[in-house]
Amino acid sequence: MKISARELFGELLDPGSFVSWDRPPVSVPVSARYEAELQAAAATAGVDESVLTGEGLLRGRRVAVVACEFGFLAGSIGIAAGERIVSAVERATAQGLPLLASPTSGGTRMQEGTIAFVQMVKVAGAIATHKAAGHPYLVYLRNPTMGGVFASWGSLGHMTFAEPGALIGFLGPRVYKALYGRSFPEGVQTAENLYRNGVIDGVVPVPVFRRIVHRALTVFLDGPLPLPEKESDPNESSNGVGDFLAGHEEGPALLDVLDVHAWQSVLISRRADRPGTRELLRHATERVPLSGTGQGELDRTIVHALARFRGQPCIVFGHDRAGQSPDNTMGPAALREARRSMHLAAELRVPLVLVIDTAGASLSREAEERGLAPEIARCIADLVTLDTPTVSVLLGQGSGGGALALLPCDRVLSAANGWLAPLPPEGASAIVYRDTFHAPQLAAAQRIRASDLKADGIVDRIVHEYPDAADEPVDFALRMVEAIAEELAALTATPVEKLVADRHRRYRRLGLSAES
């Protein structure tokens, strides 16, 4: 059973809140046969075109909506439908409203030919203008969504979800068989398969999409909340390194907090039970997971989500300890997902939090051929120039270009046992000494530990471990979330122009003394 546009609005919007924006369709010269088809379609579907537009409330928030009606000539898009969509998008942009679009269509209306086909250009242009103005555009694909509709406004969402079981693709199965004399492969053009391959962010029914939209718009639009009051902690210093803990015995474990050998930090960071990015997100609110690049790539070694840390909205992208193994390390797709998060943060003026916890990027033929090194370079360049507040968190291992790609932010936090190095210490030892036995010596000499990184101006703030985050995962995660929230609050209060200028100066002077 296909969901009609009116049924969609009924499930998506607050009861009785929908207000139509539609005017009579623009007049288009048509043949007598086509006019008869239009009249029959209107009588059957109960609407005057294949698209309905308007506004309504979603949990009290005003939103604009555009939805196809498949019952009207299979939701196909001609001149009148294209004009109706563009008019609605332009009105949403002018009024500063978030826009929710729900296509279900066979594609271009063949009866109107090429001029109908190129309607997709003006629709895509209007949506690009809406997004460039900083307004959210969220998409819910219904069954089916095919052809030029999927290849234009159906694929431009900041976030894209789909109806379970929906047929979604570029070339329809019937057309494919007519052109090539064989059936299209089973299971390819499904919402679930596109989700598994990183084309869309999820497959959910309409009521769940409503909840997702509410959370997403809360992150995108509601701005930061005041940080909750917290009791002063006599053991927390302003730089996060910490004084001696009242109530703790002064023994070796406590001394390790203040002066852990670099190699010891490396070993601690590799504990399988050390808390990672997912543990931080468990203490966030308004979480909405994202998936893939939107371009057919997905890397299971990373986590990507919208969230609020202590009321501070942000987009979170980080390495996932649970998804990594010696045979499964981050590849080019992970970095393209990182760049998606950067572009999303910039377009919607939302702070970005990047979490580093990687043993290194993938060393494989596939990674080389799919552009690993160029993607690292693009990540660094994007971050240095990004027009939104940014925070980097060195949570554990920080090895090689995969770590460097997420580093250059306005503020860099580090766990006490976090570290950053060009290679794992064993790799550095292999280069310098032609063995791995000198790894502890190289770790110290390269100044990779958190306290050295802070002294060298790479890290701004160190978050305690007492003495190891794996031994106190919840308390550590709460401290790190609190530190991230404090940095986000301070950065959000700073003009973006100053942030970008300060960021440029910061990284311009890396490695230079104060007198230089």
Side-chain angles (χ1 to χ4, degrees):
M1 177 69 73
K2 292 182 172 61
I3 303 171
S4 72
R6 288 199 177 102
E7 288 170 338
L8 174 79
F9 294 156
E11 288 193 65
L12 187 61
L13 302 175
D14 297 349
S17 68
F18 175 71
V19 177
S20 176
W21 285 355
D22 294 334
R23 297 177 179 177
V26 297
S27 179
V28 179
V30 297
S31 66
R33 177 180 176 181
Y34 181 31
E35 177 63 34
E37 288 184 68
L38 291 172
Q39 292 178 3
T44 301
V47 296
D48 61 359
E49 248 302 337
S50 63
V51 175
L52 301 185
T53 72
E55 66 172 271
L57 300 178
L58 194 154
R59 295 199 179 184
R61 187 192 301 275
R62 194 172 164 222
V63 298
V65 289
V66 173
C68 287
E69 177 51 70
F70 195 81
F72 191 103
L73 296 181
S76 56
I77 303 299
I79 296 170
E83 183 60 26
R84 180 171 284 183
I85 295 169
V86 170
S87 296
V89 175
E90 290 175 341
R91 184 169 176 176
T93 304
Q95 297 185 21
L97 296 179
L99 177 60
L100 314 181
S102 183
T104 173
S105 174
T108 299
R109 191 167 299 171
M110 293 298 141
Q111 296 91 327
E112 296 181 26
T114 301
I115 192 66
F117 179 50
V118 298
Q119 294 301 303
M120 307 306 177
V121 177
K122 74 179 187 183
V123 173
I127 290 168
T129 300
H130 182 82
K131 293 169 65 178
H135 307 311
Y137 176 58
L138 309 182
V139 175
Y140 185 71
L141 305 172
R142 283 152 49 228
N143 180 43
T145 302
M146 305 299 294
V149 170
F150 182 45
S152 58
W153 56 291
S155 292
L156 293 175
H158 288 117
M159 299 170 57
T160 303
F161 291 81
E163 177 187 359
L167 176 70
I168 300 170
F170 181 58
L171 187 62
R174 186 173 62 181
V175 177
Y176 181 91
K177 187 168 185 177
L179 292 175
Y180 299 106
R182 59 183 182 275
S183 298
F184 197 85
E186 289 288 331
V188 174
Q189 295 177 318
T190 67
E192 289 77 7
N193 187 54
L194 295 184
Y195 169 60
R196 285 192 295 269
N197 284 279
V199 178
I200 62 177
D201 290 302
V203 180
V204 296
V206 178
V208 176
F209 181 65
R210 172 181 159 90
R211 294 199 295 272
I212 288 171
V213 171
H214 171 68
R215 290 182 183 179
L217 295 183
T218 298
V219 172
F220 291 150
L221 299 177
D222 284 358
L225 302 175
L227 287 173
E229 294 290 332
K230 67 172 184 176
E231 295 182 6
S232 60
D233 183 354
N235 306 307
E236 280 287 337
S237 66
S238 60
N239 65 14
V241 175
D243 303 317
F244 284 107
L245 294 173
H248 284 250
E249 293 184 5
E250 295 182 15
L254 180 56
L255 294 176
D256 282 349
V257 174
L258 303 176
D259 192 18
V260 175
H261 188 277
W263 182 242
Q264 185 65 19
S265 281
V266 171
L267 297 179
I268 289 173
S269 74
R270 291 173 175 172
R271 279 187 58 170
D273 55 350
R274 184 176 176 84
T277 306
R278 291 184 184 275
E279 281 66 37
L280 300 186
L281 284 170
R282 288 193 180 101
H283 300 284
T285 59
E286 310 299 344
R287 297 185 303 272
V288 178
L290 302 175
S291 180
T293 61
Q295 300 172 32
E297 291 184 289
L298 181 68
D299 193 309
R300 300 294 184 187
T301 69
I302 58 92
V303 177
H304 191 188
L306 313 180
R308 279 179 176 263
F309 288 129
R310 300 290 189 271
Q312 307 302 304
C314 60
I315 294 169
V316 180
F317 178 91
H319 301 119
D320 181 16
R321 296 179 64 86
Q324 298 180 66
S325 70
D327 298 322
N328 186 33
T329 51
M330 65 175 296
L335 296 165
R336 284 189 271 273
E337 287 193 59
R339 294 182 66 216
R340 179 195 175 193
S341 73
M342 296 172 197
H343 297 163
L344 187 60
E347 278 196 337
L348 291 168
R349 284 73 157 171
V350 177
L352 176 65
V353 174
L354 299 167
V355 184
I356 299 170
D357 194 2
T358 178
S362 177
L363 301 176
S364 67
R365 173 178 176 174
E366 181 186 26
E368 297 289 349
E369 292 177 346
R370 294 178 64 190
L372 177 66
E375 285 302 328
I376 292 172
R378 294 183 189 109
C379 281
I380 295 169
D382 285 353
L383 273 180
V384 170
T385 57
L386 202 64
D387 287 335
T388 196
T390 55
V391 174
S392 183
V393 180
L394 188 53
L395 197 59
Q397 300 185 82
S399 180
L404 188 65
L406 308 187
L407 179 74
C409 292
D410 297 311
R411 295 285 286 177
V412 179
L413 281 59
S414 179
N417 289 306
W419 54 274
L420 180 70
L423 286 173
E426 296 91 336
S429 177
I431 290 174
V432 176
Y433 294 103
R434 299 182 182 276
D435 63 43
T436 60
F437 304 117
H438 292 80
Q441 179 181 333
L442 261 294
Q446 289 187 319
R447 299 177 60 80
I448 71 173
R449 63 180 182 167
S451 56
D452 291 327
L453 297 172
K454 187 172 187 301
D456 290 340
I458 297 170
V459 163
D460 300 295
R461 177 174 178 174
I462 298 174
V463 176
H464 304 296
E465 300 180 43
Y466 296 131
D468 183 340
D471 295 325
E472 43 140 17
V474 173
D475 288 345
F476 170 76
L478 289 170
R479 282 197 301 276
M480 184 60 82
V481 165
E482 184 71 31
I484 293 170
E486 289 172 0
E487 299 299 342
L488 288 174
L491 292 171
T492 302
T494 305
V496 170
E497 296 79 7
K498 185 177 187 305
L499 286 179
V500 176
D502 289 348
R503 193 189 306 148
H504 176 78
R505 282 192 294 271
R506 170 196 180 111
Y507 291 104
R508 173 66 180 85
R509 295 197 58 79
L510 273 177
L512 301 179
S513 65
E515 295 78 21
S516 299

Coordinates of all heavy atoms in Angstrom, one line a residue, residues 60-115:
G60 N 5.3 21.4 17.1 CA 5.2 22.9 17.4 C 6.1 23.7 16.6 O 6.0 25.0 16.6
R61 N 7.0 23.1 15.8 CA 8.0 23.9 15.0 C 7.4 24.1 13.5 O 7.0 23.1 12.9 CB 9.3 23.2 14.9 CG 10.4 24.0 14.2 CD 11.6 23.2 13.9 NE 12.2 22.6 15.1 CZ 13.1 23.3 15.9 NH1 13.5 24.5 15.6 NH2 13.5 22.7 17.0
R62 N 7.5 25.3 13.0 CA 7.0 25.5 11.7 C 7.9 25.0 10.6 O 9.1 25.3 10.7 CB 6.8 27.0 11.5 CG 6.0 27.5 10.3 CD 5.7 28.9 10.3 NE 5.3 29.4 9.0 CZ 5.7 30.5 8.5 NH1 6.6 31.3 9.1 NH2 5.3 30.9 7.3
V63 N 7.4 24.2 9.7 CA 8.2 23.6 8.6 C 7.5 23.7 7.3 O 6.3 23.7 7.3 CB 8.6 22.1 8.9 CG1 9.4 22.0 10.2 CG2 7.3 21.3 9.0
A64 N 8.3 23.7 6.2 CA 7.7 23.7 4.9 C 7.8 22.2 4.4 O 8.7 21.5 4.8 CB 8.4 24.6 3.9
V65 N 6.8 21.8 3.6 CA 6.7 20.4 3.1 C 6.4 20.4 1.6 O 5.7 21.2 1.1 CB 5.7 19.6 3.9 CG1 6.2 19.3 5.3 CG2 4.3 20.3 3.9
V66 N 7.1 19.4 1.0 CA 6.8 19.1 -0.5 C 6.7 17.6 -0.6 O 7.6 16.9 -0.1 CB 8.0 19.7 -1.4 CG1 7.8 19.2 -2.8 CG2 8.1 21.2 -1.3
A67 N 5.7 17.1 -1.2 CA 5.5 15.7 -1.3 C 4.9 15.3 -2.7 O 3.9 16.0 -3.1 CB 4.7 15.1 -0.2
C68 N 5.4 14.3 -3.3 CA 4.8 13.8 -4.5 C 3.5 13.0 -4.2 O 3.4 12.3 -3.1 CB 5.7 12.9 -5.2 SG 7.1 13.7 -6.0
E69 N 2.6 13.0 -5.2 CA 1.4 12.1 -5.1 C 1.5 11.1 -6.2 O 1.3 11.4 -7.4 CB 0.1 13.0 -5.2 CG -1.1 12.2 -5.3 CD -1.2 11.2 -4.1 OE1 -1.4 11.6 -3.0 OE2 -1.1 9.9 -4.4
F70 N 1.8 9.9 -5.9 CA 2.1 8.8 -6.9 C 0.8 8.5 -7.7 O 0.9 8.1 -8.9 CB 2.6 7.6 -6.3 CG 3.2 6.6 -7.3 CD1 4.5 6.8 -7.8 CD2 2.5 5.5 -7.7 CE1 5.1 5.9 -8.7 CE2 3.0 4.7 -8.7 CZ 4.3 4.9 -9.2
G71 N -0.4 8.7 -7.1 CA -1.6 8.4 -7.8 C -1.9 9.3 -9.0 O -2.7 9.0 -9.8
F72 N -1.2 10.4 -9.1 CA -1.3 11.3 -10.2 C -0.2 11.0 -11.2 O 0.9 11.5 -11.0 CB -1.3 12.8 -9.7 CG -1.7 13.8 -10.8 CD1 -2.9 14.4 -10.8 CD2 -0.8 14.1 -11.8 CE1 -3.3 15.3 -11.7 CE2 -1.2 15.0 -12.8 CZ -2.4 15.6 -12.8
L73 N -0.5 10.3 -12.2 CA 0.5 9.9 -13.3 C 1.8 9.5 -12.7 O 2.9 9.9 -13.1 CB 0.7 11.1 -14.2 CG -0.6 11.5 -15.0 CD1 -0.2 12.7 -16.0 CD2 -1.1 10.3 -15.8
A74 N 1.7 8.6 -11.7 CA 2.9 8.0 -11.1 C 3.9 9.0 -10.5 O 5.1 8.8 -10.5 CB 3.7 7.1 -12.1
G75 N 3.3 10.1 -10.0 CA 4.2 11.1 -9.4 C 5.1 11.8 -10.3 O 6.1 12.4 -9.9
S76 N 4.9 11.7 -11.6 CA 5.9 12.2 -12.6 C 5.9 13.7 -12.5 O 5.0 14.4 -12.2 CB 5.5 11.7 -14.0 OG 4.2 12.1 -14.3
I77 N 7.1 14.3 -12.9 CA 7.3 15.7 -12.8 C 7.3 16.3 -14.2 O 8.2 16.0 -15.1 CB 8.6 16.0 -12.1 CG1 8.7 15.4 -10.7 CG2 8.9 17.5 -12.0 CD1 7.6 15.8 -9.8
G78 N 6.4 17.2 -14.4 CA 6.4 18.0 -15.7 C 6.6 19.5 -15.3 O 7.0 19.8 -14.2
I79 N 6.2 20.4 -16.2 CA 6.4 21.8 -16.0 C 5.6 22.3 -14.8 O 6.2 23.0 -14.0 CB 6.1 22.6 -17.3 CG1 7.0 22.2 -18.5 CG2 6.2 24.1 -17.1 CD1 6.5 22.7 -19.8
A80 N 4.4 22.0 -14.8 CA 3.5 22.5 -13.7 C 4.0 22.0 -12.3 O 4.1 22.8 -11.3 CB 2.1 22.1 -13.9
A81 N 4.4 20.7 -12.2 CA 4.9 20.2 -11.0 C 6.2 20.8 -10.6 O 6.4 21.1 -9.4 CB 5.0 18.6 -11.1
G82 N 7.1 20.9 -11.6 CA 8.4 21.5 -11.3 C 8.2 23.0 -10.8 O 8.9 23.4 -9.9
E83 N 7.3 23.7 -11.4 CA 7.1 25.1 -11.0 C 6.5 25.2 -9.6 O 6.9 26.0 -8.8 CB 6.2 25.8 -12.0 CG 5.9 27.3 -11.7 CD 7.2 28.1 -11.7 OE1 8.2 27.8 -12.4 OE2 7.2 29.2 -11.0
R84 N 5.7 24.2 -9.3 CA 5.1 24.2 -7.9 C 6.2 23.9 -6.9 O 6.2 24.5 -5.8 CB 4.0 23.1 -7.9 CG 3.3 23.0 -6.5 CD 2.1 22.1 -6.6 NE 0.9 22.8 -7.2 CZ -0.3 22.3 -7.3 NH1 -0.5 21.1 -6.9 NH2 -1.3 23.0 -7.8
I85 N 7.1 23.0 -7.2 CA 8.1 22.6 -6.2 C 9.0 23.8 -6.0 O 9.3 24.2 -4.9 CB 9.0 21.4 -6.7 CG1 8.1 20.2 -6.8 CG2 10.2 21.2 -5.8 CD1 8.8 19.0 -7.5
V86 N 9.5 24.5 -7.1 CA 10.4 25.6 -7.0 C 9.7 26.7 -6.2 O 10.4 27.4 -5.4 CB 10.8 26.0 -8.4 CG1 11.6 27.4 -8.3 CG2 11.7 25.0 -9.1
S87 N 8.5 27.0 -6.5 CA 7.8 28.1 -5.8 C 7.8 27.8 -4.3 O 8.0 28.7 -3.5 CB 6.4 28.3 -6.3 OG 6.4 28.7 -7.7
A88 N 7.5 26.6 -3.9 CA 7.5 26.2 -2.5 C 8.9 26.3 -1.9 O 9.0 26.8 -0.7 CB 7.0 24.8 -2.3
V89 N 9.9 25.9 -2.6 CA 11.3 26.0 -2.1 C 11.7 27.4 -1.9 O 12.2 27.8 -0.8 CB 12.3 25.2 -3.0 CG1 13.7 25.5 -2.5 CG2 12.0 23.7 -3.1
E90 N 11.4 28.2 -2.9 CA 11.7 29.7 -2.8 C 11.0 30.3 -1.6 O 11.5 31.2 -0.9 CB 11.4 30.4 -4.1 CG 12.3 30.0 -5.2 CD 11.9 30.5 -6.6 OE1 10.8 31.0 -6.7 OE2 12.8 30.6 -7.5
R91 N 9.7 30.0 -1.4 CA 9.0 30.5 -0.3 C 9.5 30.1 1.1 O 9.7 30.9 2.0 CB 7.5 30.1 -0.4 CG 6.6 30.7 0.7 CD 5.1 30.4 0.3 NE 4.2 30.9 1.3 CZ 2.9 30.8 1.2 NH1 2.3 30.4 0.1 NH2 2.1 31.3 2.2
A92 N 9.9 28.8 1.2 CA 10.6 28.3 2.4 C 11.9 29.1 2.6 O 12.2 29.4 3.8 CB 10.8 26.8 2.3
T93 N 12.6 29.3 1.6 CA 13.9 30.0 1.8 C 13.6 31.5 2.2 O 14.3 32.0 3.2 CB 14.7 30.1 0.4 OG1 14.9 28.7 0.0 CG2 16.0 30.7 0.6
A94 N 12.7 32.1 1.6 CA 12.4 33.5 1.9 C 11.9 33.6 3.4 O 12.2 34.6 4.1 CB 11.3 34.1 1.0
Q95 N 11.2 32.6 3.9 CA 10.7 32.7 5.2 C 11.6 32.0 6.2 O 11.2 31.9 7.4 CB 9.3 32.0 5.2 CG 8.3 32.8 4.4 CD 6.9 32.2 4.5 OE1 6.5 31.5 5.5 NE2 6.0 32.5 3.5
G96 N 12.7 31.5 5.8 CA 13.7 30.9 6.7 C 13.2 29.6 7.3 O 13.6 29.3 8.5
L97 N 12.4 28.8 6.6 CA 11.8 27.6 7.1 C 12.7 26.4 6.7 O 13.1 26.3 5.6 CB 10.4 27.4 6.6 CG 9.4 28.4 7.0 CD1 8.0 28.1 6.4 CD2 9.2 28.5 8.5
P98 N 12.8 25.4 7.6 CA 13.4 24.1 7.2 C 12.4 23.5 6.2 O 11.2 23.6 6.3 CB 13.5 23.3 8.5 CG 12.5 24.0 9.4 CD 12.5 25.4 9.1
L99 N 13.0 22.7 5.3 CA 12.2 22.1 4.2 C 12.3 20.6 4.3 O 13.4 20.0 4.3 CB 12.7 22.6 2.9 CG 12.0 22.1 1.6 CD1 10.5 22.4 1.6 CD2 12.7 22.6 0.4
L100 N 11.1 20.0 4.3 CA 11.0 18.5 4.3 C 10.4 18.1 3.0 O 9.3 18.5 2.6 CB 10.1 18.0 5.4 CG 10.3 18.6 6.8 CD1 9.4 18.0 7.8 CD2 11.8 18.5 7.3
A101 N 11.1 17.2 2.3 CA 10.7 16.8 0.9 C 10.5 15.3 0.9 O 11.3 14.6 1.5 CB 11.7 17.2 -0.1
S102 N 9.4 14.8 0.3 CA 9.2 13.4 0.2 C 8.8 13.0 -1.2 O 7.6 13.0 -1.5 CB 8.1 13.0 1.2 OG 7.9 11.6 1.2
P103 N 9.8 12.7 -2.0 CA 9.5 12.2 -3.4 C 8.9 10.8 -3.4 O 9.2 10.0 -2.6 CB 10.8 12.3 -4.1 CG 11.8 13.0 -3.1 CD 11.2 12.8 -1.8
T104 N 8.0 10.6 -4.3 CA 7.7 9.2 -4.8 C 7.3 9.4 -6.3 O 6.3 10.0 -6.5 CB 6.6 8.5 -4.0 OG1 6.3 7.3 -4.6 CG2 5.4 9.3 -3.8
S105 N 8.1 8.9 -7.2 CA 7.9 9.3 -8.6 C 8.5 8.3 -9.5 O 9.5 7.7 -9.2 CB 8.4 10.7 -8.8 OG 8.4 11.0 -10.2
G106 N 7.9 8.2 -10.7 CA 8.5 7.4 -11.8 C 9.5 8.2 -12.5 O 10.2 7.7 -13.4
G107 N 9.6 9.5 -12.2 CA 10.6 10.4 -12.9 C 10.0 11.5 -13.7 O 8.9 12.0 -13.4
T108 N 10.6 11.7 -14.9 CA 10.1 12.8 -15.8 C 8.8 12.4 -16.4 O 8.6 11.2 -16.8 CB 11.2 13.1 -16.8 OG1 12.4 13.5 -16.2 CG2 10.7 14.1 -17.8
R109 N 7.9 13.4 -16.6 CA 6.7 13.1 -17.3 C 6.9 13.1 -18.8 O 7.2 14.1 -19.5 CB 5.6 14.2 -17.0 CG 4.2 13.8 -17.5 CD 3.2 14.7 -16.9 NE 3.2 14.6 -15.4 CZ 2.5 15.5 -14.6 NH1 1.8 16.4 -15.2 NH2 2.5 15.3 -13.3
M110 N 6.9 11.9 -19.4 CA 7.3 11.7 -20.8 C 6.4 12.4 -21.8 O 6.8 12.8 -22.9 CB 7.3 10.2 -21.1 CG 8.3 9.4 -20.4 SD 10.0 9.9 -20.8 CE 10.8 9.8 -19.2
Q111 N 5.1 12.7 -21.4 CA 4.2 13.4 -22.3 C 4.7 14.8 -22.6 O 4.3 15.4 -23.6 CB 2.8 13.4 -21.7 CG 2.2 12.1 -21.6 CD 2.4 11.5 -20.2 OE1 3.5 11.7 -19.6 NE2 1.5 10.7 -19.7
E112 N 5.5 15.4 -21.8 CA 6.0 16.8 -21.9 C 7.4 16.8 -22.5 O 8.0 17.9 -22.7 CB 5.8 17.6 -20.6 CG 4.4 17.7 -20.2 CD 4.3 18.5 -18.9 OE1 5.1 19.3 -18.6 OE2 3.3 18.3 -18.2
G113 N 8.1 15.7 -22.6 CA 9.4 15.7 -23.3 C 10.5 16.3 -22.5 O 10.5 16.4 -21.3
T114 N 11.5 16.8 -23.3 CA 12.7 17.3 -22.7 C 12.5 18.5 -21.8 O 13.2 18.7 -20.8 CB 13.7 17.7 -23.9 OG1 13.9 16.5 -24.6 CG2 15.0 18.2 -23.3
I115 N 11.5 19.4 -22.1 CA 11.3 20.6 -21.3 C 10.9 20.1 -19.9 O 11.2 20.8 -18.9 CB 10.3 21.5 -21.9 CG1 10.3 22.9 -21.2 CG2 8.9 20.9 -21.9 CD1 11.5 23.6 -21.3

